[in-house]
């Protein structure tokens, strides 16, 4: 069974083999974990990557965090399910494919037609889906592939249809004419948070519609004034009071307009002229004023961003060209009063940067304020807010709780229809004035299906339950099957930038479908920036393909570099040097394992991890105690999502305590096979969630079982870790090493040492072998209680203990060293005295701590006194 580990670890050779071994074991599927019936579930749904492109390094970060969480829970006895899938990303995908086709053939989607375009999109997504799958596996993701889903597969189409129909029947979904954010380039509506704002230089024009109109107005978009039906003023504005309620027929640049003067409390008297031209068709605010005042609505700009028919010479012009024409005309007519340069915010499409046109349009909406009887007469918005307020859902980091709630509070009805071809169709048919909504087409002839498709967030908003068999697994308010076992899920881990776009929608959709939260914790990771702190993007060419990093350094090194030093919600920088240093650590772990396994007889390989082996020496007790401390601490860190700190602690144990100290001690004290195997097994288990491949490879070389399902070690309460005693021994060893190096003593030169141990004499005598042999370069070591000052020797005080090194003194160098040490001690004494003079500290700190600090001070003082004596004698 023993397989000797290769001299160096080769990630390329081992990773694929190990992944295959895991897949064949079946343990990615929680149903195969042989757990007791009452084992708790732990579910994470993978945020489905868009199939628009292959994965980038940000996805690797997400995969590393989620895989860590799932592996930890799987080893801790949970029914751990990590559910994979991909997102069809409706509008994004259609845009990518349209662009690709246009670049390759010069054809637009209108040249191709709906059917052919969809065919091309499916071809494209099959290839990207395969790439994404491959990349995900290479990261070591322990996803349950037999439950893989796609937001646009048959099951999800059924779920989406059912959700739409249910919401429609309960009056949550409705159709209405509204001002929507329209992208003339994407030719579709955008949700409010798909609109981005860009600061721009603009001109604010002040003019009158016509010479006989009494009020001047200001606007940055004179072309939209062709659709004005009113001028709004503040009801308190003395200048305009007398005009309120009057109507005027005006000739605005050759177009006849009917303008009514209305009063509105929202108009600010001190902005511009204090009067606002009301354009109901192209502004959300004006739309509301029109509704309140019964004003007609005149559409000026069409879906292509051009001036509508019926506006004479302006018809067919782009908005920009029409603006110039109108400005020229106003100037020619002597109506232009002022042109000012201002800075304002331009709304643009988040996908293509095209300026948004607000347009009136008939669309489908989800009414977020609609009260629902089965939700205790609360609306989806209220339930979603309540979930955060009552901490049913918590956010990591916590500051995102406020962002979530702020956004929720200001949420308007959600427009869910999109005028694109690729996406879930809307299960609605029309015949004349009749509308039918159902999962299947209505009977009879003459029904025409709604041509729009659904916003991509509608289907991804259902991701936690559509993947667990909803609606089949939900009858009369009772969950069955996977839905009963795995919902609500435990953690949603995603990027903070989709907190509002996605996370908030999931909460509302889950409350509607199941009356419960979709997840308990939302963990938000930051963005991975390039080495210079810039956002990575395909167009800038500064992106990193995770597969390249994996080929060069291995998946474990990449994972560890993304997990260590990263904190939730904060951006971090990609660094090849960092990955390289993690690869070096992995090699170190490999070498430690190789050393232990090669110096241990096979019969010890079965050493169990659930009981502590017998400790024979102080060092044994210490390392076993430290191991116990480590288990406790790392487990706690995992529970509170502090992965980076867990890795730091593991790193410190592995590198410093185990490799630098205990393995060296083991060479001196011998006969530690059981303890070494016990330690090795435990560090492999604890490291496994971070670096699964190398730990599994090492484990595989001396075990018949699979590390992925090894049992997470338990903490033993009240175990004495002998920390203080061991620290004394370590201090003495380090002090001897430092004194040698400060005196520039050749490593090969052996010295004689005499230690005056005072009350520690018996204790130190027990540790004599370690002190003598642990790279201290001692030919002999004598430990006495006390004695005369030894001349011509290097003197090193450690607390009450004094060490003399005989046989190599260079008086000048030694004096120099002691003077330095004297200065150092004086500084320490000063700091320590200040600390103990601080009444705040002394009164608040526990007595034990204050006593320890006092002892420290007294040790420093004793050391200083000894050094001062020696300096005088030299
Ligand atoms: Zn666009």
């Amino acid at each position: 069974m023993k397989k000797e580990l290769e001299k160096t670890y080769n990630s390329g050779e081992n990773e694929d083999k190990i992944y295959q071994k895991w897949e064949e074991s079946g343990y990615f599927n929680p149903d195969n974990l042989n757990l007791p019936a009452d084992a708790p579930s732990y579910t994470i749904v993978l945020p489905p990557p868009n199939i628009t492109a292959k994965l980038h390094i940000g996805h690797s970060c997400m995969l590393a965090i989620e895989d860590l969480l799932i592996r930890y829970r799987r080893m801790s006895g949970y029914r751990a399910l990590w559910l994979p899938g991909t997102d069809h990303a409706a509008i994004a995908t259609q845009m990518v494919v349209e662009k690709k086709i246009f670049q390759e053939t010069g054809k637009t989607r209108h040249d191709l037609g709906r059917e052919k375009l969809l065919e091309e999109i499916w071809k494209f997504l099959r290839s990207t889906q395969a790439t994404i799958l491959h990349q995900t596996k290479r990261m070591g993701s322990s996803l349950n592939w037999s439950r893989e889903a796609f937001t646009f597969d048959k099951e999800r189409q059924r779920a989406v249809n059912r959700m739409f129909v249910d919401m429609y029947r309960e009056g949550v979904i409705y159709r209405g004419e509204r001002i929507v954010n329209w992208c003339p380039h994407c030719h579709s509506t955008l949700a409010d948070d798909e609109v981005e704002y860009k600061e721009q230089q603009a001109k604010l024009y002040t003019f009158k519609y016509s010479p006989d109109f009494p009020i001047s107005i200001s606007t940055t978009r004179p072309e939209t004034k062709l659709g004005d039906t009113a001028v709004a003023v503040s009801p308190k504005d003395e200048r305009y009071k007398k005009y309120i309620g009057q109507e005027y027929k005006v000739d605005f640049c050759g177009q006849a307009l009917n303008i009514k003067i209305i009063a509105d409390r929202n108009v600010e008297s001190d902005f511009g002229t204090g009067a606002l031209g009301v354009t109901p068709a192209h502004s959300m605010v004006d739309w509301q004023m029109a509704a309140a005042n019964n004003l007609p609505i005149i559409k000026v700009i069409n879906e292509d961003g051009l001036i509508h028919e019926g506006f004479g010479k302006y018809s067919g012009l782009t908005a920009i060209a029409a603006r110039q024409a109108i400005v020229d005309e106003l100037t020619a007519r002597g109506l232009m009063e002022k042109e000012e340069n201002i800075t304002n915010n331009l709304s643009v499409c988040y996908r293509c940067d095209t300026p948004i046109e607000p347009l009136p349009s008939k669309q489908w909406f989800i009414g977020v304020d609609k009260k629902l009887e089965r939700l205790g007469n609360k609306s989806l918005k209220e339930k979603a807010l309540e979930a955060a307020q009552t901490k049913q859902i918590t956010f990591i980091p916590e500051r995102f709780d406020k962002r979530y709630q702020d956004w929720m509070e200001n949420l308007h009805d959600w427009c869910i229809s999109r005028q694109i071809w690729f996406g879930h169709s809307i299960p609605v048919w029309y015949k004349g004035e009749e509308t039918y909504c159902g999962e299947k087409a209505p009977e009879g002839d003459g029904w025409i299906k709604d041509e729009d498709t659904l916003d991509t967030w509608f289907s991804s908003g259902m991701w936690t339950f559509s993947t667990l068999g909803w609606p089949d697994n939900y009858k009369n308010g009772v969950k069955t099957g996977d839905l009963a076992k795995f919902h609500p899920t435990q953690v949603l881990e995603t990027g903070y930038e989709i907190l509002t776009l996605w996370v908030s929608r999931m909460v509302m959709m889950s409350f509607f479908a199941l009356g419960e939260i979709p997840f308990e914790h939302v963990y938000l990771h930051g963005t991975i920036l390039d080495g210079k702190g810039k956002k990575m993007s395909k167009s800038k060419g500064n992106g990193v393909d995770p597969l390249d990093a994996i080929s060069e350094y291995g998946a474990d090194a990449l994972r560890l570099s993304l997990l260590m030093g990263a904190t939730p919600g904060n951006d971090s920088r990609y660094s090849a040097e960092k990955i390289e240093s993690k690869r070096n650590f992995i090699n170190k772990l490999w070498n430690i394992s190789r050393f232990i396994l090669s110096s241990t007889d096979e019969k010890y390989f079965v050493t169990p991890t659930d009981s502590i082996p017998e400790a024979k020496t102080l060092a044994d007790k210490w390392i076993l105690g430290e191991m116990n401390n480590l288990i406790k601490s790392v487990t706690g860190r995992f529970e509170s999502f502090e992965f980076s700190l867990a890795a730091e602690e593991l790193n410190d144990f592995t590198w410093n305590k185990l490799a630098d100290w205990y393995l060296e001690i083991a060479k001196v004290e011998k006969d530690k096979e059981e303890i070494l195997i016990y330690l090795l097994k435990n560090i492999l288990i604890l490291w496994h969630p971070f670096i699964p491949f190398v730990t599994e490879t090492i484990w595989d070389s001396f075990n018949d079982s699979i590390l992925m399902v090894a049992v997470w070690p338990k903490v033993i309460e009240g175990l004495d870790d002998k920390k203080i005693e061991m620290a004394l021994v370590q201090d003495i060893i380090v002090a001897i090493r430092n004194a040698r190096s400060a005196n520039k003593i050749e490593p090969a030169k052996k010295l004689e040492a005499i230690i005056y141990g005072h009350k520690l004499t018996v204790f130190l005598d027990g540790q004599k072998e370690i002190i003598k042999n642990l790279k201290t370069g001692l030919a002999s070591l004598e430990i006495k209680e006390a004695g005369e000052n030894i001349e011509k020797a290097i003197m090193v005080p450690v607390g009450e203990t004094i060490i003399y090194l005989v046989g190599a003194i260079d008086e000048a160098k030694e004096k120099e060293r002691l003077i330095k040490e004297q200065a150092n001690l004086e500084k320490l004494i000063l700091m320590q005295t200040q600390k103990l003079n601080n009444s705040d500290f002394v009164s608040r700190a526990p007595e034990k701590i204050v006593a320890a600090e006092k002892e420290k001070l007294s040790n420093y003082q004793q050391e200083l006194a000894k050094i001062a004596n020696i300096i005088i004698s030299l």
Side-chain angles (χ1 to χ4, degrees):
M1 137 182 157
K2 184 174 174 177
K3 285 175 245 166
E4 185 132 354
L5 293 179
E6 305 264 329
K7 226 172 154 183
T8 52
Y9 175 61
N10 186 329
S11 57
E13 251 169 47
N14 288 294
E15 289 180 353
D16 286 348
K17 261 189 277 176
I18 291 290
Y19 197 83
Q20 203 183 343
K21 187 184 164 96
W22 289 331
E23 278 205 282
E24 282 164 6
S25 76
Y27 293 138
F28 287 172
N29 183 346
D31 300 339
N32 299 330
L33 285 172
N34 305 320
L35 294 165
D38 61 349
S41 291
Y42 195 88
T43 315
I44 299 177
V45 288
L46 175 76
N50 285 356
I51 42 109
T52 43
K54 56 188 182 182
L55 302 187
H56 53 70
I57 209 81
H59 291 108
S60 304
C61 176
M62 163 184 94
L63 292 170
I65 295 170
E66 290 174 27
D67 193 46
L68 171 138
L69 286 169
I70 279 294
R71 283 182 189 271
Y72 163 63
R73 295 290 167 170
R74 193 184 288 121
M75 295 168 111
S76 306
Y78 284 76
R79 205 177 297 286
L81 169 64
W82 189 19
L83 202 149
T86 44
D87 193 336
H88 70 294
I91 189 167
T93 305
Q94 180 169 326
M95 292 284 299
V96 168
V97 177
E98 273 189 64
K99 200 169 158 192
K100 188 168 162 275
I101 292 170
F102 188 77
Q103 278 166 354
E104 287 166 8
T105 67
K107 286 184 177 162
T108 69
R109 69 162 146 150
H110 302 287
D111 299 330
L112 278 131
R114 191 168 185 136
E115 214 168 296
K116 181 81 184 128
L117 180 78
L118 290 178
E119 211 177 277
E120 290 294 322
I121 291 175
W122 278 101
K123 227 193 285 171
F124 169 83
L125 78 83
R126 287 211 175 87
S127 89
T128 48
Q129 232 169 5
T131 310
I132 289 170
L133 194 79
H134 174 65
Q135 287 177 301
T136 307
K137 290 185 172 182
R138 286 295 303 276
M139 277 299 289
S141 315
S142 58
L143 285 152
N144 181 186
W145 295 107
S146 64
R147 283 182 166 90
E148 191 189 349
F150 175 45
T151 55
F152 200 31
D153 59 16
K154 279 220 166 60
E155 291 85 348
R156 262 45 67 179
Q157 292 197 21
R158 238 167 56 68
V160 162
N161 278 337
R162 174 62 174 278
M163 187 80 174
F164 190 101
V165 172
D166 285 356
M167 289 183 127
Y168 179 84
R169 290 191 181 152
E170 291 202 40
V172 173
I173 283 184
Y174 67 91
R175 195 173 191 226
E177 178 143 271
R178 283 294 168 82
I179 297 283
V180 293
N181 305 300
W182 181 267
C183 173
H185 178 253
C186 297
H187 241 250
S188 184
T189 53
L190 296 174
D192 286 347
D193 41 19
E194 288 172 331
V195 176
E196 283 179 357
Y197 299 93
K198 257 196 192 164
E199 210 178 68
Q200 64 155 6
Q201 292 301 315
K203 272 210 158 72
L204 182 70
Y205 301 96
T206 302
F207 54 86
K208 275 184 183 164
Y209 294 111
S210 63
D212 49 356
F213 191 74
I215 302 172
S216 303
I217 55 164
S218 300
T219 179
T220 54
R221 299 198 62 186
E223 74 280 12
T224 61
K225 301 292 105 187
L226 292 165
D228 280 12
T229 51
V231 162
V233 297
S234 164
K236 289 187 208 136
D237 198 323
E238 294 299 332
R239 292 173 292 173
Y240 304 131
K241 241 180 184 163
K242 55 180 180 274
Y243 301 115
I244 292 169
Q246 294 196 33
E247 287 185 46
Y248 295 83
K249 281 192 191 320
V250 299
D251 168 18
F252 175 57
C253 297
Q255 295 296 310
L257 302 181
N258 280 314
I259 304 288
K260 187 175 178 181
I261 314 292
I262 61 168
D264 193 287
R265 276 182 296 126
N266 296 314
V267 178
E268 292 167 36
S269 307
D270 51 1
F271 179 76
T273 61
L276 200 77
V278 179
T279 323
H282 299 289
S283 149
M284 201 75 83
V285 179
D286 296 9
W287 176 272
Q288 281 155 3
M289 286 189 200
N293 292 281
N294 259 328
L295 301 171
I297 292 156
I298 302 170
K299 203 165 156 179
V300 181
I301 294 163
N302 69 16
E303 280 72 9
D304 296 320
L306 306 177
I307 304 294
H308 229 275
E309 280 160 36
F311 291 99
K313 60 181 176 186
Y314 305 114
S315 291
L317 294 181
T318 63
I320 301 283
R323 183 178 309 164
Q324 195 53 53
I326 290 200
V327 166
D328 291 347
E329 182 84 34
L330 285 168
T331 310
R333 290 181 179 214
L335 295 166
M336 186 64 77
E337 293 168 8
K338 226 184 335 182
E339 289 184 30
E340 298 161 83
N341 289 318
I342 58 158
T343 310
N344 68 357
N345 278 326
L346 179 69
S347 337
V348 296
C349 170
Y350 84 126
R351 297 219 172 272
C352 69
D353 251 11
T354 305
I356 296 298
E357 283 296 348
L359 288 181
S361 167
K362 227 173 190 182
Q363 302 286 342
W364 288 99
F365 292 87
I366 287 184
V368 295
D369 294 309
K370 164 95 185 165
K371 310 266 185 198
L372 291 165
E373 220 177 79
R374 59 190 171 80
L375 293 180
N377 235 358
K378 286 182 179 155
S379 67
L380 294 179
K381 184 200 265 188
E382 286 167 323
K383 290 300 284 184
L385 271 168
E386 188 183 273
Q389 284 155 358
T390 59
K391 304 283 173 210
Q392 274 191 85
I393 299 177
T394 59
F395 294 83
I396 303 128
E398 218 186 328
R399 64 177 189 271
F400 286 95
D401 187 322
K402 188 177 182 303
R403 198 183 289 187
Y404 168 88
Q405 290 196 42
D406 284 350
W407 186 83
M408 261 302 164
E409 269 162 16
N410 294 305
L411 184 64
H412 300 294
D413 286 359
W414 168 20
C415 175
I416 50 169
S417 42
R418 296 288 181 272
Q419 292 65 48
I420 55 164
W421 294 341
F422 181 58
H424 287 278
S425 67
I426 291 177
V428 170
W429 287 260
Y430 308 101
K431 187 158 83 176
E433 291 295 293
E434 275 181 273
T435 299
Y436 174 83
C437 174
E439 288 179 72
K440 289 199 187 96
E443 310 238 325
D445 295 332
W447 288 97
I448 296 163
K449 191 159 195 197
D450 192 306
E451 283 204 350
D452 288 354
T453 52
L454 283 171
D455 178 15
T456 183
W457 304 105
F458 189 92
S459 49
S460 54
M462 300 169 62
W463 193 237
T464 60
F465 53 92
S466 70
T467 51
L468 293 172
W470 188 91
D472 294 337
N473 285 341
Y474 192 64
K475 294 273 143 58
N476 306 319
V478 178
K479 297 184 284 180
T480 57
D482 272 7
L483 202 57
K485 245 193 273 177
F486 300 112
H487 204 277
T489 66
Q490 274 57 56
V491 177
L492 181 76
E493 192 282 334
T494 191
Y496 63 75
E497 72 283 0
I498 52 175
L499 174 71
T500 53
L501 282 169
W502 188 41
V503 178
S504 60
R505 264 80 187 245
M506 294 176 92
V507 179
M508 291 191 287
M509 296 300 253
S510 181
F511 270 117
F512 182 84
L514 296 162
E516 67 181 24
I517 51 167
F519 31 68
E520 294 165 0
H521 307 287
V522 179
Y523 181 97
L524 297 159
H525 63 250
T527 307
I528 310 280
L529 307 170
D530 74 1
K532 293 179 186 124
K534 294 254 152 56
K535 243 190 170 156
M536 293 193 187
S537 81
K538 244 202 287 184
S539 54
K540 276 190 251 158
N542 61 347
V544 176
D545 184 342
L547 289 184
D548 292 343
I550 292 173
S551 316
E552 194 165 354
Y553 304 105
D556 286 334
L558 176 60
R559 288 171 64 118
L560 196 54
S561 78
L562 294 169
L563 290 166
M564 278 183 92
T567 47
N570 295 326
D571 297 346
S572 54
R573 291 181 184 194
Y574 177 84
S575 146
E577 294 78 51
K578 191 173 170 193
I579 308 180
E580 203 180 330
S581 81
K582 301 308 168 204
R583 199 236 353 243
N584 296 345
F585 170 75
I586 286 162
N587 289 339
K588 175 86 176 177
L589 179 65
W590 181 265
N591 291 338
I592 291 169
S593 309
R594 203 165 159 266
F595 170 77
I596 293 176
L597 292 172
S598 64
S599 54
T600 306
D601 191 279
E602 258 185 62
K603 69 178 184 214
Y604 295 105
F605 290 176
V606 294
T607 304
T609 51
D610 57 359
S611 62
I612 292 194
E614 192 199 342
K616 296 188 189 92
T617 68
L618 170 70
D620 295 346
K621 284 178 193 150
W622 165 72
I623 197 73
L624 291 169
E626 288 283 13
M627 183 80 237
N628 191 50
N629 293 343
L630 180 72
I631 293 166
K632 183 172 184 172
S633 173
V634 168
T635 306
R637 299 280 187 211
F638 275 2
E639 294 286 335
S640 49
F641 299 94
E642 297 169 314
F643 321 126
S644 183
L645 292 172
E648 298 288 349
E649 287 164 1
L650 271 163
N651 186 65
D652 177 52
F653 180 90
T654 311
W655 199 294
N656 301 328
K657 293 174 183 142
L658 179 60
D660 285 355
W661 285 100
Y662 192 69
L663 289 188
E664 295 305 317
I665 292 170
K667 288 176 195 166
V668 177
E669 292 188 342
K670 304 274 177 353
D671 199 16
K672 298 192 185 297
E673 283 93 340
E674 251 183 293
I675 294 176
L676 286 172
I677 292 294
Y678 170 85
L679 295 172
L680 177 60
K681 282 187 176 178
N682 274 316
I683 58 167
L684 292 175
I685 292 172
L686 296 177
W687 270 119
H688 183 71
F690 290 96
I691 43 175
F693 287 113
V694 67
T695 47
E696 188 79 74
T697 307
I698 298 167
W699 185 272
D700 186 55
S701 75
F702 71 110
N703 289 281
D704 288 327
S705 57
I706 289 187
L707 175 59
M708 182 174 71
V709 288
V711 177
W712 193 260
K714 297 237 165 358
V715 177
I716 295 157
E717 294 301 337
L719 187 71
D720 185 359
D721 59 17
K722 298 281 174 195
K723 238 185 167 133
I724 297 167
E725 293 85 340
M726 190 64 192
L728 258 168
V729 179
Q730 287 171 321
D731 283 352
I732 288 174
I733 291 170
V734 171
I736 297 173
R737 289 178 188 166
N738 289 349
R740 287 184 64 113
S741 100
N743 278 280
K744 303 212 163 52
I745 298 168
E746 294 285 312
K749 168 107 180 145
K750 297 272 180 188
L751 303 179
E752 284 169 26
I754 298 145
I755 298 180
Y756 294 162
H758 298 277
K759 62 178 191 250
L760 293 170
T761 311
V762 177
F763 166 75
L764 291 176
D765 206 48
Q767 307 308 318
K768 206 169 160 181
E769 283 306 299
I770 304 182
I771 298 169
K772 193 179 150 197
N773 293 301
L774 230 63
K775 296 180 181 165
T776 41
L778 300 183
S780 69
L781 171 63
E782 195 183 338
I783 297 176
K784 295 186 191 169
E785 206 177 328
E788 289 290 304
N789 199 10
I790 300 174
E791 286 187 13
K792 304 268 177 204
I794 298 170
M795 195 282 289
V796 191
V798 177
E800 296 177 64
T801 311
I802 309 174
I803 307 159
Y804 291 97
L805 299 175
V806 188
I809 192 159
D810 172 332
E811 288 194 3
K813 269 184 197 152
E814 177 62 1
K815 193 166 181 182
E816 196 183 314
R817 179 183 77 86
L818 289 172
I819 288 170
K820 246 189 226 165
E821 186 57 29
Q822 187 180 30
N824 183 35
L825 281 167
E826 278 163 355
K827 219 187 284 166
L828 286 170
I829 288 166
L830 184 68
M831 273 164 53
Q832 202 64 16
T833 312
Q834 279 168 348
K835 195 174 197 176
L836 287 164
N837 285 344
N838 181 347
S839 55
D840 236 26
F841 167 75
V842 178
S843 62
R844 277 191 204 160
E847 242 171 81
K848 242 172 112 181
I849 304 250
V850 178
E853 294 295 335
K854 280 187 181 154
E855 164 125 24
K856 244 193 211 169
L857 178 61
S858 127
N859 281 343
Y860 292 150
Q861 282 162 339
Q862 289 183 42
E863 288 170 20
L864 183 67
K866 283 167 195 154
I867 282 181
N869 275 335
I870 301 281
I871 292 174
I872 294 163
S873 78
L874 279 173

